[in-house]
Amino acid sequence: MLIQANFHDHMGDAVPLPICDAGVPALLALARPCAVSIYQANKVIYAQGEAAGPLYMVEFGTVRICRLTADGRRQINTFHFAGEIFGFEAGDKHQCYAETVNQTGIRVLRPNSPEGLGTGMLSIALKSLARAQDHLLVLGRMTAAEKMATFLLDLCERQDTDRFIELSMQRNDVADYLGLTFETVSRVLRVFKDAGMIRLPTVNQIEVLDIASLGSIVE
Amino acid sequence: MLIQANFHDHMGDAVPLPICDAGVPALLALARPCAVSIYQANKVIYAQGEAAGPLYMVEFGTVRICRLTADGRRQINTFHFAGEIFGFEAGDKHQCYAETVNQTGIRVLRPNSPEGLGTGMLSIALKSLARAQDHLLVLGRMTAAEKMATFLLDLCERQDTDRFIELSMQRNDVADYLGLTFETVSRVLRVFKDAGMIRLPTVNQIEVLDIASLGSIVE
DNA sequence: CGACCTGTTGATTCTGCTCAATCAACGTGG
DNA sequence: CCACGTTGATTGAGCAGAATCAACAGGTCG
C-alpha cells in the first residue's frame, strides 16, 4: 500500500531513480534520455507560475493538471496516464500546476535542440488542444449524468477495456474534473448502479455492465 | 447594415476578393499569400467532420468556433477577432465548425512547405491551448456573474480599451460561450447595470464604468 | 401595417449545491 | 485486543442559482 503523503509538498522529496529503459517512443528520440522520478501520491510536479521548461512523460500512475480560482475552487483540466506527455505552455510560466494522483513515475524530457521537439511537439500540443475542446463541451453544456457517462466511456477507451475500470483518482478529483461536487459524483454513480449499468466491486473499481446504455445517455 | 443570412449556409456563397495587401505578420511569411474572402454574417467557414487543411486569419469581423451535442446544444469554444488565426486540428478532420458572427474578412493561409508553418504554428497552437484551459476554469467552476465579468474583462483587453466594448455577437452567442442561457446573460448584464458597473448605450455596446468592481467579482 | 427577430422581464421549476449525519476502512496507541 | 481519530464515500434534507416557460417590448424588413 502507498503511504499517503501530505498534500501540498513539493517535488523536492521525489526519489530520482536511474532507470533508463530504451522503450521510448520514436517521436521522442530528439529528447535527451533522462531518469525516471518516482513520486508518491499528491506531490506537486510543477507549480502555477513556475518557469516552464521541460516536458514530462508519465511512465506509470496518474497526473492531474489543475487550476485554482482566487478563492480556492479547483478545476482539473486533464488527467494524464501512462505514456502521455504534458508540461508545455504558451508563455514562459506554467499557468496550471501538475500533481500526482497516486504513486507515479515521471520521465523528464529535455529537448537537446534549442527550439524544442519541433513537429512532434506540435502534434502533441494539437492533441491536447483537441482534448481541451472536447472538455469544453462537457463542462459547458452537459448535465451531471452526461458528464459522468462521458467520463466513464473515456476511461474505457483510454484503459483499453470495455468492462473493468481502475479508478486511480478519488471522487473529489472526478468532481473537480467534471465541474461537479463529490456528492453529486457519488449520487450519479449510484443512479447508474441502480439502473444496472455499472457495478462497484470496490470504491476504486467500476465494472461497466451496459456500455450501450451509458452511450445513449451521452447520445 | 449587414444583411442577415440564413443560418447554416455554406461557404459556397462567400465572395472572394482579390485583395492582397502586404501587411501580413512576419510569422506568416511562410504561407503563400492568398486572397481575402468576405463572408456575410452566420456563414459556415468550415464544417464539423470536413477535411482539415489550411489555416485562416481574421482580417476584420468575428468568427466563432463551435461544437454541438447530439441533441443540438451548442458550445462556443472561442471567438476570433481581427488578426487571430484559427483552423488547426489534431487529426485530418475538423472536430469543431467555424462560422462568421458578423460580416467578416478571412484570409486563407496555405503553407508552402509540406510540414506546415512549423515553429510559428506551434506557438499559435499553444496560445489556443492556453485560452482553452482558461475557459475550462470559467465553465467548470464559475457562477453566472463571474463568467460574465470574466468575459467583459477579456473583451476589454482584446479590444484594447478599458471603457467601450463593441459587442459583435448577440446574447445567444455569449450564452453558448459561457455555458448559460441568453436569459441569464440578459439578467446578469442588468445586475451589472443596476450596480453602476456598466452602461448599455445600445444593445451592442457596453461601456465599462467601474472596471475595478468587475475585477473584484472575478477576484 | 403586420411579421419576425432579438432582447428584456417575470413566474415557476428543477438540477445540482450546501450542510450535515452516518458509515466503512484503516492506522495508532493504550 | 479494543477505543479512538482520520479520511473518503454515501446518503438525506433543504436551499439556491440558473434553466424553462411565457409574456411583452422595440426594431427592422417585407
Side-chain angles (χ1 to χ4, degrees), chain B residues 37-117:
Chain B
S37 299
I38 312 277
Y39 291 75
Q40 295 307 308
N42 300 311
K43 298 295 177 186
V44 176
I45 298 165
Y46 56 80
Q48 207 164 328
E50 197 174 289
L55 299 186
Y56 304 87
M57 187 167 76
V58 181
E59 290 285 319
F60 61 88
T62 307
V63 170
R64 57 177 175 246
I65 309 294
C66 319
R67 297 200 65 181
L68 295 176
T69 62
D71 61 346
R73 285 166 288 173
R74 182 178 66 160
Q75 175 64 44
I76 297 181
N77 287 351
T78 57
F79 293 109
H80 287 293
F81 301 122
E84 298 181 347
I85 290 169
F86 64 96
F88 31 78
E89 290 285 338
D92 56 350
K93 285 189 189 311
H94 285 294
Q95 64 166 357
C96 303
Y97 64 96
E99 285 179 331
T100 54
V101 171
N102 49 6
Q103 193 184 40
T104 301
I106 304 228
R107 187 186 297 278
V108 177
L109 307 170
R110 293 191 189 281
N112 39 19
S113 71
E115 73 239 339
L117 302 166

Side-chain angles (χ1 to χ4, degrees), chain B residues 19-22 24 28-36 107-110 112:
Chain B
I19 303 173
C20 266
D21 68 287
V24 185
L28 301 164
L30 295 166
R32 209 163 56 219
C34 283
V36 171
R107 187 186 297 278
V108 177
L109 307 170
R110 293 191 189 281
N112 39 19

Side-chain angles (χ1 to χ4, degrees), chain A residues 134-190:
Chain A
D134 284 347
H135 206 46
L136 288 175
L137 183 65
V138 173
L139 291 180
R141 284 292 176 228
M142 286 191 182
T143 65
E146 291 169 333
K147 286 174 175 180
M148 201 65 218
T150 303
F151 179 62
L152 293 182
L153 292 173
D154 183 48
L155 284 183
C156 280
E157 261 187 51
R158 291 168 81 180
Q159 295 190 3
D160 213 20
T161 171
D162 57 352
R163 298 194 67 92
F164 296 99
I165 297 172
E166 283 295 325
L167 211 59
S168 54
M169 69 291 294
Q170 46 195 43
R171 302 291 185 269
N172 206 348
D173 292 316
V174 177
D176 284 350
Y177 177 66
L178 296 176
L180 300 170
T181 60
F182 63 87
E183 294 99 327
T184 299
V185 168
S186 195
R187 279 183 247 267
V188 172
L189 285 178
R190 179 169 220 296

